Amino acid sequence: MRFGHFDDAAREYVISTPRTPYPWINYLGTEEFFGLVSHTGGGYCFYRDARLRRLTRYRYNNVPTDVGGRYFYVHDDGDFWTPGWAPVKRELDFYECRVGLSYTKITGERKGLRAEVLYFVPLGTTAEVHRVTLKNTSKAPKSVKLFSFVEFCLWDASDDQNNYQRNLSIGEVEVDGGTIYHKTEYRERRNHYAVHSVNAKVAGFDTDRESFLGPWNGFGEPQAVAEGRSRNSVASGWSPIGSHQLAVDLAPGEERSFVFVLGYVENPVEEKWEGPGVVNKARARQLLARFQTTAQVDAALVALRDYWTEMLSKYTVKSGDERLDRMVNIWNPYQCMVTFNLSRSASYFETGIGRGMGFRDSNQDLLGFVHLVPSRARERILDIAATQKPDGSAYHQYQPLTKRGNNDIGSGFNDDPLWLISGTAAYIKESGDLSVLKETVPFDNDPKDAATLFEHLKRSFHHVLNNLGPHGLPLIGRADWNDCLNLNCFSETPGESFQTTGNRTGRTAESVFIAGLFVHVAPDYAALAEAMGLESEAKAARFHAVRMEETVLKHGWDGEWFLRAYDFFGKKVGSKECEDGQILIEPQGYCVMAGIGVKEGHAKKALDSVKARLDTAHGIVLNQPPYSAYHVELGEISSYPPGYKENAGIFCHNNPWVMIAETVLGRGERAFEYWKKIAPAYREEISEVHRLEPYVYAQMIAGKDAVRHGEAKNSWLTGTAAWNFVAISQHLLGVRPELLGLRVNPCLSAEIPSFTVTRRCRGAEYRIRVKNAATGQPARLRVDGKPIEGTLVPWAPAGATVTIDCEV
Ligand code: BGC
């Protein structure tokens, strides 16, 4: 069952009923100012840091779900409603929500009045624009009242919901005509305020929540709206809001638009005030002047569309399968941009107050983002590297506002450092920019302790070698990619964090996954060392990779699949000897991606075991059998009920590792089948089961042991976006940048007999035509008509257009 449809020409998903199974959201903003907006207008916005600079309030886990947003209420002759249906929930004669790239447009119609609300953040702007268009579709004149509404957050979103003894006394605003200034804490240490404005004469306003809503009402029944009369309230202490009232007369067929701006303004300390206690509004006025007319808004929207058109032109496919095309051309890269910007901070599953940017997560996000804006990827790599510790280990997270390592979760996730090599290598392959390796980057943000970026990669690589366990496999530390495999934790106290508790400090628990990751990044690391002229380091890296591969085959092989780990006691994890958790997905994917056991036949066996034991109708589960009881020696993985999250859920993040691994063996048929099971556009038809947005991946789909098998959770902010883009675009469609050229080696199901890819990279354009007989063999290429040896097309000079014919 569907709740809408894709409009590929407009690059939109069109939701046709407000009664979706869950709020379906979108993101506004591209660089500094971000908003989340649901299909009913719920959500909130913030400047750069979802925790520390939150403009509007949102209550997570609320009932009903998704209450609070940037709302517009229409009062039409005693009848009042909201165009997004909620929060008033008056039945609409027409409803539609168009989810676009960095904008959302919601339209509702009732009793001859149509209201369309467009939400977006214009490029280079620290504000949301809300354009409201009212149209009289009836045959009689109408006198309508339009009310805007936002509820301000007192900046620190965590404190905002905890510290009421203070917070209910500090709210302050100023009102200046149609502009409301939210200035809580500006009198003391803040130099920023929020502004909420409209480009029309107001008939009234409210800034005090209770005056607007009435003491016992929710957002669905504001008293001011019901009575059609603002109170002109000025908030003092208590809870500041921003609401305008406009009186709008509309002749039959007439339409009028109004531009509301909700923005963030920062003043230099010495320019804070324009009079005693009066905020300096000069910068706000400059901001507002840019969005006074609908023509200005239209132009900003066109600029935003052009920005996306340019970015998406870097990789386009035409395959005859519209679901494949829309994932690769539109939605997957779009989600990659969102994860790059927000890491795991703010979604409808992440509160934005709990986590900073992940070291591991951000590096993986780069893999799907580098081609969109390489220069931003470069900057991000340097930021991440600057949080690395001198011994090569990493803080697990850092705060985007300060760009410093964050001690909340601390360090000791021993896979973290290696991801910096993956992220950097991806950037250099895309851009050819080896100079980044020579950039000076501090350790732990200490300028006195700085070295080249390459030295950071070196310490990452050697951190693994300096931390090997009894079998010669890498020590896992607190956990590896699987945050929930906590082999040194041994927690028996309720509420204790599995990630930060380390009751045992032994150096015994080892990870086969990290070994696979190590062997996978080693060739890239060695090639970068060579590029730096460090031949002996390159040689050493290759040597260590071979040795690690041997170790995996000796101590990490269980007979039919790769082991997952050795626990604190040296017992096997992920072995046929175990009762639960006999096989786990991660090492099967990563070891084969790294080429381990391919020639010995182990790789094939491992992937066949995945197919036989882990595959389901909705994707590949993480482990089988699920852990049926809590294992103190394994940690959080065994804390989840069977079928959810890391305990046998379908983790869509690591499914693509298996897809890529299948392409290593030339099995494109199976790889494609796996991808279609989790790719949202293919799941659209079962939206009532999947329940989340059909345009973005979810982190998890409940596994076969769960009651709600097939139900997705945690959409948007997940490494799933980057990894699936890498799998489908670089390995199944088979077009990927390497240091010395563009690799063209598709491995795709015969279902797609031919396709074309246009890839723009390093200033040149590659037009690739593929005939796909799905032979499972390496492709045969002709470049500009001439056959070449192998599948690597050398880089063409900037400005060139290269035509590639490929048969496979
Ligand atoms: C985290 C990832 C982790 C994954 C698996 C996600 O919530 O953001 O860093 O790899 O869970 O545990």
Side-chain angles (χ1 to χ4, degrees), residues 110-127:
R110 185 174 154 88
K111 295 188 179 169
L113 184 69
R114 178 176 273 244
E116 176 200 282
V117 189
L118 167 73
Y119 298 90
F120 74 111
V121 174
L123 295 174
T125 306
T126 58

Side-chain angles (χ1 to χ4, degrees), residues 628-745:
S628 49
Y630 179 52
H631 287 251
V632 71
E633 77 286 7
L634 300 181
E636 188 171 358
I637 190 169
S638 59
S639 74
Y640 289 106
Y644 293 112
K645 294 279 286 176
E646 280 86 343
N647 188 14
I650 295 155
F651 236 82
C652 299
H653 184 146
N654 54 32
N655 276 228
W657 299 343
V658 175
M659 296 168 205
I660 299 170
E662 286 290 356
T663 69
V664 170
L665 302 188
R667 301 198 295 195
E669 210 70 47
R670 201 182 268 181
F672 193 52
E673 180 196 319
Y674 283 145
W675 182 66
K676 287 191 298 183
K677 286 185 181 178
I678 62 165
Y682 293 84
R683 295 180 64 78
E684 187 199 12
E685 277 149 49
I686 52 162
S687 288
E688 79 287 6
V689 177
H690 184 77
R691 298 190 75 226
L692 299 186
E693 299 92 336
Y695 38 92
V696 288
Y697 297 93
Q699 178 207 49
M700 192 225 31
I701 298 172
K704 63 183 177 187
D705 307 288
V707 176
R708 299 167 73 109
H709 183 34
E711 180 184 34
K713 284 191 186 149
N714 202 355
S715 53
W716 284 99
L717 301 185
T718 158
T720 307
W723 272 109
N724 275 281
F725 189 73
V726 168
I728 184 69
S729 68
Q730 300 191 4
H731 296 272
L732 280 78
L733 298 171
V735 179
R736 60 178 175 273
E738 294 191 358
L739 287 178
L740 301 178
L742 189 67
R743 179 76 63 192
V744 179
N745 193 20

